[in-house]
Amino acid sequence: MEFMINAIYIACVVLFVFGLKLLSHPSSARKGNTLSALGMLVAIVATLLDQQIISYEWIAVSLILGSLIGAVMAKRVEMTKMPEMVSILNGVGGMASLLVALAVFWAGEKIETYILAIMLIAVAIGSITFSGSIIAWAKLSGEIPKLVSSGATVFKGQAIINVLILVSICALAGVVVVAPENIEFVICFSILCLVLGVMLVLPIGGADMPVVISLLNSYSGLAACAAGLAINNNLLIVAGALVGASGIILTSIMCKAMNRSLSNVLFSGFKNNASNKIEIEGEVTPIVAEDAFFVLEAAQSILVIPGYGMAVAQAQHAMKELQVLLEENDAEVVYGIHPVAGRMPGHMNVLLAEADVPYEVLLEMDEVNARMENFDVAIVIGANDVVNPAARDMEGSPIYGMPVINADLAKNVFILKRGMSSGFAGVDNPLFFKSNARMIFGDAKDTINTIIRQFSD
């Protein structure tokens, strides 16, 4: 029986590895997701049956109930709510690892010292992941603005409090190792780790939130890996390590894309000590959609730069329709995807895939920047921070040094926005005042549909 279970586990690991490999490209991502989900399903059933944890009836009921909840969540969630959903799922992963580790403590059996240390690591990472993910969800959703601001929350003495919490956690860990039979110490340890998770995410805001989500995803994998070591489950160890490693790699890529270190994101937020009151010269030039049509009709190369605002306006389908019309008019249309566009990694790729935009026309930031001056028109739809030239030109800006898509260097720039509000980072955008930039105020979907109607007339 043990040989069969291990053989099933190896097959699941193979499915996970191939699933991750396929997730690396948008064209194969759906197949990769299916393979990984299949591997997880087989792993759960095999583990429950092997350990005889619950009866067959309850396994069937749990599978049906869990599948229904997951299917309804995936079907009902809006594209603008995807980051919040990912945050919640990260928190669930952390909580699951926390409960597994606590269950081992609760069993009251004699535990080797090195296993105790691993279990404490699982409890710590799981707790921090859970509470940190809840705060990330609150920041992204704005559901409880009176308690959790969407921006960075900093207060006097915050650093000292964090150090005291960390010292207390280390001290309690030592006490637990000496007296593991006292479950009260373990509970206090868990509570302090939960508080630390809150304190670590509170000071982070603005454009750093995609990095935080990626990092918490990595934490959930590391917590699962530690829980697997604690209960000697090989599959949980490997699966957790895969999630943790892939999350760390993605976090590293995103930090590089933002030109900042991981420690800067975790502990300094968005450089709150810097002023965002920068002097911007020039005037805003508005234009109506009907006039923008004439420019687009004459354009030969067009760059579309999507952002969170496109998801809010649900303008991706209208943009795909306009893309087809422009291509029939012998124009080239490509999309410039910034690594942190939207509010989670890959947000824009998922959004455009929903509208069946071909993967071949989704270009990375470096590709479009290299040929920016050749684009006749750059259409910025709901993106703000990722096209802000202040990151390149103004040392006083809080986002100075962050690589951006240089939309201001295109021959013409159309910015589709509802108003002049700043982006999620709360930084003014000099692009709006450039001489080659035109603001098209209003709902992006309505604006694009108006241009589409002009093509039809």
Side-chain angles (χ1 to χ4, degrees), residues 127-128 131-132 135 158 193-203:
S127 302
I128 291 171
S131 58
I135 297 299
Q158 193 171 29
C193 291
L194 287 169
V195 175
L196 183 62
V198 173
M199 296 296 287
L200 287 178
V201 179
L202 270 181

Side-chain angles (χ1 to χ4, degrees), residues 205-242:
D208 286 335
M209 287 311 295
V211 183
V212 174
I213 293 174
S214 175
L215 187 64
L216 290 171
N217 176 253
S218 175
Y219 282 177
S220 69
L222 294 175
C225 183
L229 286 168
I231 62 174
N232 195 29
N233 185 292
N234 294 329
L235 182 66
L236 197 54
I237 295 170
V238 176
L242 285 173

Side-chain angles (χ1 to χ4, degrees), residues 344-388:
M344 72 172 188
H347 195 181
M348 292 301 103
N349 299 76
V350 176
L351 185 72
L352 294 170
E354 187 186 56
D356 291 326
V357 174
Y359 305 122
E360 294 74 19
V361 299
L362 305 185
L363 305 183
E364 296 183 0
M365 174 176 60
D366 292 339
E367 293 180 81
V368 295
N369 276 345
R371 49 182 294 203
M372 186 60 71
E373 294 178 356
N374 296 324
F375 286 113
D376 294 323
V377 181
I379 306 176
V380 181
I381 308 177
N384 197 334
D385 302 324
V386 299
V387 296
N388 194 333

Side-chain angles (χ1 to χ4, degrees), residues 102-185:
L102 287 179
V104 177
F105 274 111
W106 214 280
E109 298 177 357
K110 184 174 175 56
I111 306 171
E112 297 290 338
T113 304
Y114 78 97
I115 295 293
L116 267 177
I118 293 171
M119 287 165 58
L120 286 172
I121 292 173
V123 169
I125 302 178
S127 302
I128 291 171
T129 305
F130 174 70
S131 58
S133 297
I134 295 301
I135 297 299
W137 166 82
K139 281 176 172 283
L140 291 166
S141 66
E143 294 288 343
I144 44 178
K146 291 183 178 178
L147 294 178
V148 182
S149 164
S150 61
T153 300
V154 182
F155 54 86
K156 191 175 181 180
Q158 193 171 29
I160 296 174
I161 293 174
N162 285 343
V163 170
L164 289 176
I165 294 173
L166 194 58
V167 170
S168 302
I169 287 173
C170 293
L172 268 174
V175 172
V176 171
V177 170
V178 173
E181 66 278 4
N182 293 323
I183 194 69
E184 296 83 6
F185 292 133

Side-chain angles (χ1 to χ4, degrees), residues 177-388:
V177 170
V178 173
E181 66 278 4
N182 293 323
I183 194 69
E184 296 83 6
F185 292 133
V186 180
I187 293 174
C188 290
F189 178 83
S190 306
I191 293 173
L192 278 178
C193 291
L194 287 169
V195 175
L196 183 62
V198 173
M199 296 296 287
L200 287 178
V201 179
L202 270 181
I204 302 173
D208 286 335
M209 287 311 295
V211 183
V212 174
I213 293 174
S214 175
L215 187 64
L216 290 171
N217 176 253
S218 175
Y219 282 177
S220 69
L222 294 175
C225 183
L229 286 168
I231 62 174
N232 195 29
N233 185 292
N234 294 329
L235 182 66
L236 197 54
I237 295 170
V238 176
L242 285 173
V243 174
S246 58
I248 285 291
I249 292 171
L250 181 58
T251 304
S252 174
I253 292 172
M254 299 191 72
C255 283
K256 185 179 179 182
M258 297 175 69
N259 194 30
R260 62 186 62 229
S261 67
L262 186 57
S263 61
N264 179 273
V265 174
L266 282 175
F267 303 113
S268 300
F270 218 64
K271 294 183 178 178
N272 295 302
N273 57 340
S275 171
N276 60 1
K277 293 181 179 178
I278 53 179
E279 292 186 4
I280 300 176
E281 298 180 351
E283 293 182 359
V284 171
T285 307
I287 188 176
V288 295
E290 287 81 358
D291 292 338
F293 158 74
F294 294 108
V295 180
L296 289 172
E297 187 184 34
Q300 293 299 304
S301 57
I302 296 159
L303 170 66
V304 181
I305 306 169
Y308 183 73
M310 175 184 260
V312 173
Q314 285 293 290
Q316 65 272 23
H317 296 284
M319 188 58 237
K320 170 63 189 306
E321 188 177 351
L322 178 59
Q323 172 197 330
V324 172
L325 291 172
L326 290 168
E327 289 173 340
E328 289 175 353
N329 196 41
D330 295 329
E332 178 201 21
V333 181
V334 296
Y335 294 75
I337 310 297
H338 192 282
V340 296
R343 293 185 182 176
M344 72 172 188
H347 195 181
M348 292 301 103
N349 299 76
V350 176
L351 185 72
L352 294 170
E354 187 186 56
D356 291 326
V357 174
Y359 305 122
E360 294 74 19
V361 299
L362 305 185
L363 305 183
E364 296 183 0
M365 174 176 60
D366 292 339
E367 293 180 81
V368 295
N369 276 345
R371 49 182 294 203
M372 186 60 71
E373 294 178 356
N374 296 324
F375 286 113
D376 294 323
V377 181
I379 306 176
V380 181
I381 308 177
N384 197 334
D385 302 324
V386 299
V387 296
N388 194 333

